[in-house]
Every structure is written in structure tokens, then in C-alpha cells.
Amino acid sequence: MKTKNFDVIIIGGSYAGLSAALALGRSLRKVLVIDAGKPCNRQTPHSHNFLTQDGSTPKQIAEIAKNQILNYKNVVFYNGIATGAKKINSDFEVNTDKQMVFTAKKLILATGIKDLFPNIKGFKECWGISVVHCPYCHGYEIRNQKTALIANGDHAMHLLGLIQNLGNQVTITTHGKAKFTEEQQSKLEQHQIEVIEKEIAEINHHNGFVESIRFSDNSIVSYQSAYTVVPFEQNTQIPKLLGCEINEQGYIKVDAMQKTNITGVYACGDNSSMRSVATAVYTGNIAGVVANKELVNDEF
Ligand SMILES: Cc1cc2nc3c(=O)[nH]c(=O)nc-3n(C[C@H](O)[C@H](O)[C@H](O)COP(=O)(O)OP(=O)(O)OC[C@H]3O[C@@H](n4cnc5c(N)ncnc54)[C@H](O)[C@@H]3O)c2cc1C
């Protein structure tokens, strides 16, 4: 089924997409937000480090935003998955899981990223609760705890530096052979940081709260929390289908105006920038404002 044209389609209706929708809604643009409703932080009990909402649940922050945006009747929401998108002349056609086809003059990708978890029993259940990736988001809450840093090499050194002043008693668990340079090695010795090179078999936990780590030799060490770094991939193939360039780290390449290399396509939030609610809201706002400005340029 084909519906009438929108000015802008936003794929992804979490913080980045909602922020873009607000700017466009206030500019009286006809906007469609397509959202599958699976933000990356959905398992974390509380979100931190975002002004006015420090300690709110991820859902509360998004709900307040969505309720305010619903006041702008020119913005409509579609709950579902955008399965494909293509550029036809200067417009865009977007397909959905329920066989809907929508068209628009501009397209904003606010699709986020998907974390790829290691094959460690209990890891997924603790993710965002007591196994965390970001000291700014959760470091204060797990300060002073006995903490495993599940990471290796440069990643481990980077995180270790960031949590140094939070009082944690940290052990690095590399989940395999340690890969540190001589310089890193001597820094670890200087700061008396223990490194455990054994494979991790299981994170023992209660309702997502770490209690201990069981290693492959069945030894068990008790911890209260863990930091980690996990790889990621884009949540959807749509940027690739459109021909958007992806950089070496796996992010959609954008300029300071959130424009991709495809004219009329903008990207914002985690799919193209540093990860935080504040950054998603900032980049979403820029994408919305710039899409509106380019519509103005086309029309006026
Ligand atoms: C465990 C965890 C805890 C975190 N805690 C904090 C914190 O305390 N403070 C902080 O500032 N940041 C935190 N972050 C980071 C923060 O959650 C992200 O930076 C933020 O969610 C990014 O917003 P986004 O809109 O770009 O993407 P997301 O919030 O991930 O949302 C992407 C949306 O796009 C939808 N989507 C994707 N593809 C499609 C498609 N094809 N069709 C339709 N919809 C689609 C998804 O379903 C989802 O709703 C945390 C992240 C994680 C993983």
C-alpha cells in the first residue's frame, strides 16, 4: 500500500529520532517516525548524566519526549521495522515489515547500534545492570566496588584510566591471552593492577547483579560489578542499502551537520557518534534542523 508523501521520514524513534522529530514538528513539517521500540539501553535500570533526567529510567526519558512531540499533529508514528529504503530521483521510498511503503523528500537515520556480546554465560543478563561499558553513565553507582575489567590491550587501558578516581578495586580479566605493550605492562605493575588471563566461563549473578566470575579452570573470584568493551554493528542494513559510507570503526560517516554522503540522508545518535543520551539528543536536533533548512532551500 502506498501512502502520501511525507516531508521527512525518521527511521528510529528513540532519543536521536525523537529529537529530530521535535525540531521538524515545530517547523510544521509532515514527519513520519518509524520505530521498532528497541533502544540499546532498555535493560539498564537507570540512565545518568543527562541534564534534568539524571536517574530516570530510559523509558521515562523517551516517554516524556514522545508525549510532548504528540502535541504536534504533523508528526505521526509508525510502530514497526523499516525493512528497506531507496532513493528514487531526489525522493526516498521506505518499506516496512507490514508491507507499507512510505515516501519522503528527506530521510533521517536514527537507528542506533547493536552490541555484540561475548559467549559468556550470564553476561547478557547483567548487561547495563552491573556489567557496564561507560563510567559516565554508571561509574558513580558502582564506585568503590570490587570490579572486574573485562577487556584487553588498548581498550582495557582506556577504561582503566577513566575509572581510576572512582575508588574501585579493579582486576583486569582479559578472557584469553593478555595483549599489553611493554609500556602498558609497566603501568599496570606501577599501579599494582592484577591481570587474570584465564577464559571466563560464567558470570554468576542475582537478577543481573554480579556476584562472582567463574573461570574456565573452575576457579571463582567474587566481584560486585564489571566494566567491559563490546564490539557493535549497525542495527540495520538500510544505511548500506542507500550507499551511506561507513567509517573504519563501523559508524555512518557524517559531517558536522549530520549529513551523510548521500544527498538528503542524515544520520544521528549512536549510529554515527559518541554514545550518550545527550549526544543523541544533540545530533538528532542538528539533523532535524538541517533537514528542515534543506527543505527550505529546495522550496524557497
Ligand atoms: C546498557 C546501556 C546503558 C546506557 N546508559 C546510559 C546512561 O546512563 N546515560 C547516557 O547518557 N547514555 C547511556 N547509554 C547510551 C545511550 O543509551 C545511547 O547513546 C542512546 O540510546 C542512543 O540513542 P539513539 O536514538 O541513537 O539509539 P537507540 O536509543 O539505541 O534507539 C534506536 C532506535 O531505532 C530503532 N530502530 C533501529 N533500526 C530500525 C529499523 N530498521 N526500523 C525501525 N526502527 C529501528 C530501535 O528499535 C530503537 O528504538 C547506555 C547504553 C547502553 C547500551
Side-chain angles (χ1 to χ4, degrees):
M1 179 187 152
K2 201 149 199 154
T3 71
K4 62 182 177 176
N5 195 41
F6 289 90
D7 290 320
V8 183
I9 292 176
I10 302 170
I11 306 180
S14 180
Y15 315 104
L18 289 170
S19 180
L22 182 59
L24 287 158
R26 295 184 49 74
S27 306
L28 288 183
R29 295 297 177 184
K30 276 164 59 186
V31 179
L32 173 69
V33 181
I34 302 176
D35 187 38
K38 290 204 167 145
C40 62
N41 61 350
R42 59 190 179 278
Q43 186 164 289
T44 211
H46 301 283
S47 180
H48 292 278
N49 207 29
F50 181 54
L51 276 183
T52 78
Q53 297 299 325
D54 190 45
S56 298
T57 67
K59 202 171 166 198
Q60 279 167 341
I61 301 173
E63 264 175 11
I64 295 169
K66 189 168 175 183
N67 285 336
Q68 292 182 349
I69 290 163
L70 284 170
N71 290 324
Y72 301 91
K73 303 297 173 209
N74 44 316
V75 180
V76 294
F77 285 83
Y78 172 94
N79 299 323
I81 301 171
T83 50
K86 60 181 173 220
K87 192 167 185 180
I88 301 171
N89 302 319
S90 60
D91 286 359
F92 298 92
E93 189 176 274
V94 177
N95 301 72
T96 76
D97 53 344
K98 290 165 207 150
Q99 277 69 53
M100 300 289 284
V101 182
F102 299 109
T103 58
K105 295 172 194 149
K106 309 284 177 200
L107 184 60
I108 296 180
L109 304 175
T111 41
I113 53 173
K114 182 176 172 190
D115 296 299
L116 303 173
F117 300 135
N119 190 16
I120 297 174
K121 204 174 159 204
F123 187 101
K124 201 171 81 183
E125 290 78 2
C126 296
W127 176 244
I129 299 170
S130 64
V131 174
V132 302
H133 71 291
C134 168
Y136 300 103
C137 304
H138 311 290
Y140 185 85
E141 283 62 44
I142 62 167
R143 68 194 183 283
N144 300 326
Q145 290 189 353
K146 191 169 179 220
T147 301
L149 172 47
I150 307 171
N152 209 340
D154 293 345
H155 288 308
M157 296 308 288
H158 174 71
L159 259 180
L160 183 64
L162 289 178
I163 57 182
Q164 271 310 291
N165 61 326
L166 295 174
N168 298 62
Q169 193 189 326
V170 183
T171 308
I172 296 181
T173 59
T174 50
H175 188 41
K177 197 166 167 37
K179 295 174 197 151
F180 296 106
T181 62
E182 267 179 39
E183 196 187 327
Q184 290 171 336
Q185 192 66 49
S186 63
K187 203 170 200 175
L188 292 174
E189 280 160 26
Q190 186 195 331
H191 291 278
Q192 297 176 319
I193 305 290
E194 187 193 355
V195 177
I196 299 177
E197 295 190 67
K198 294 182 244 183
E199 301 258 339
I200 298 171
E202 179 174 7
I203 298 177
N204 296 311
H205 66 96
H206 181 69
N207 292 335
F209 289 93
V210 175
E211 291 182 333
S212 62
I213 289 182
R214 182 171 62 81
F215 293 94
S216 51
D217 62 358
N218 274 333
S219 59
I220 294 177
V221 181
S222 56
Y223 293 104
Q224 295 164 288
S225 53
Y227 280 96
T228 191
V229 183
V230 292
F232 71 89
E233 62 184 19
Q234 290 288 327
N235 251 331
T236 160
Q237 288 298 310
I238 290 175
K240 272 197 184 159
L241 289 174
L242 288 163
C244 293
E245 276 182 55
I246 309 285
N247 71 17
E248 271 177 18
Q249 289 126 0
Y251 294 108
I252 303 171
K253 269 193 192 174
V254 287
D255 66 11
M257 296 290 106
Q258 304 305 131
K259 294 192 214 177
T260 70
N261 59 307
I262 305 297
T263 305
V265 180
Y266 317 83
C268 51
D270 278 10
N271 64 15
S272 48
S273 54
M274 197 199 87
R275 195 174 218 188
S276 77
V277 173
T279 309
V281 169
Y282 163 71
T283 54
N285 182 261
I286 298 287
V289 165
V290 173
N292 182 57
K293 174 71 173 108
E294 295 201 329
L295 284 167
V296 171
N297 293 348
D298 295 345
E299 295 159 356
F300 184 71

